[in-house]
Amino acid sequence: QVQLVESGGGLVQPGGSLRLSCAASGSIFSIITMGWYRQAPGKQRESVASITTSGATNYANPVKGRFTISRDNAKSTVYLQMNSLKPEDTAVYYCNRVQPPKYSWGQGTQVTVSS
């Protein structure tokens, strides 16, 4: 069973930056398209960004040009660099594989953008 551990969240002012990390256990990480997701209070979980095994990326419209997803297959880790953060980016951020079936969700990491 793959375990996902997200980290790197915190409180940041509007316009600030954070870098999230997601460490995945299991040897199949390198062949899995991975994604970042977020869930704001009272809202459904939504996709933020994804990255294929070859490094091709895709972003949700609200974060295009501000967020960058990357991966290190040797470390079984996927990253999300978030710049120019806005209050509407406030959410719990999760990582998971893109294709179903999803792995069990980790605990997520809280990102709060506020002055």
Side-chain angles (χ1 to χ4, degrees):
Q1 179 71 8
V2 173
Q3 290 187 322
L4 303 168
V5 180
E6 301 92 348
S7 62
L11 173 63
V12 63
Q13 292 187 341
S17 298
L18 284 173
R19 188 192 194 208
L20 307 184
S21 299
C22 168
S25 64
S27 59
I28 64 171
F29 177 86
S30 63
I31 63 172
I32 298 297
T33 296
M34 292 294 294
W36 280 98
Y37 303 81
R38 67 185 181 186
Q39 186 167 20
K43 295 187 177 182
Q44 289 190 334
R45 187 175 288 154
E46 62 178 0
S47 175
V48 174
S50 63
I51 184 166
T52 69
T53 56
S54 60
T57 58
N58 191 51
Y59 298 93
N61 286 334
V63 308
K64 280 183 180 178
R66 301 188 296 121
F67 290 11
T68 302
I69 188 172
S70 61
R71 66 191 296 162
D72 185 335
N73 288 335
K75 296 182 178 180
S76 296
T77 300
V78 61
Y79 304 98
L80 186 68
Q81 177 67 44
M82 305 187 296
N83 298 329
S84 301
L85 282 161
K86 304 176 180 181
E88 51 263 43
D89 295 319
T90 294
V92 180
Y93 285 71
Y94 304 86
C95 68
N96 211 316
R97 65 183 299 175
V98 171
Q99 290 85 2
K102 291 285 193 286
Y103 299 130
S104 296
W105 294 93
Q107 82 288 351
T109 187
Q110 175 70 48
V111 172
T112 302
V113 185
S114 175
S115 55

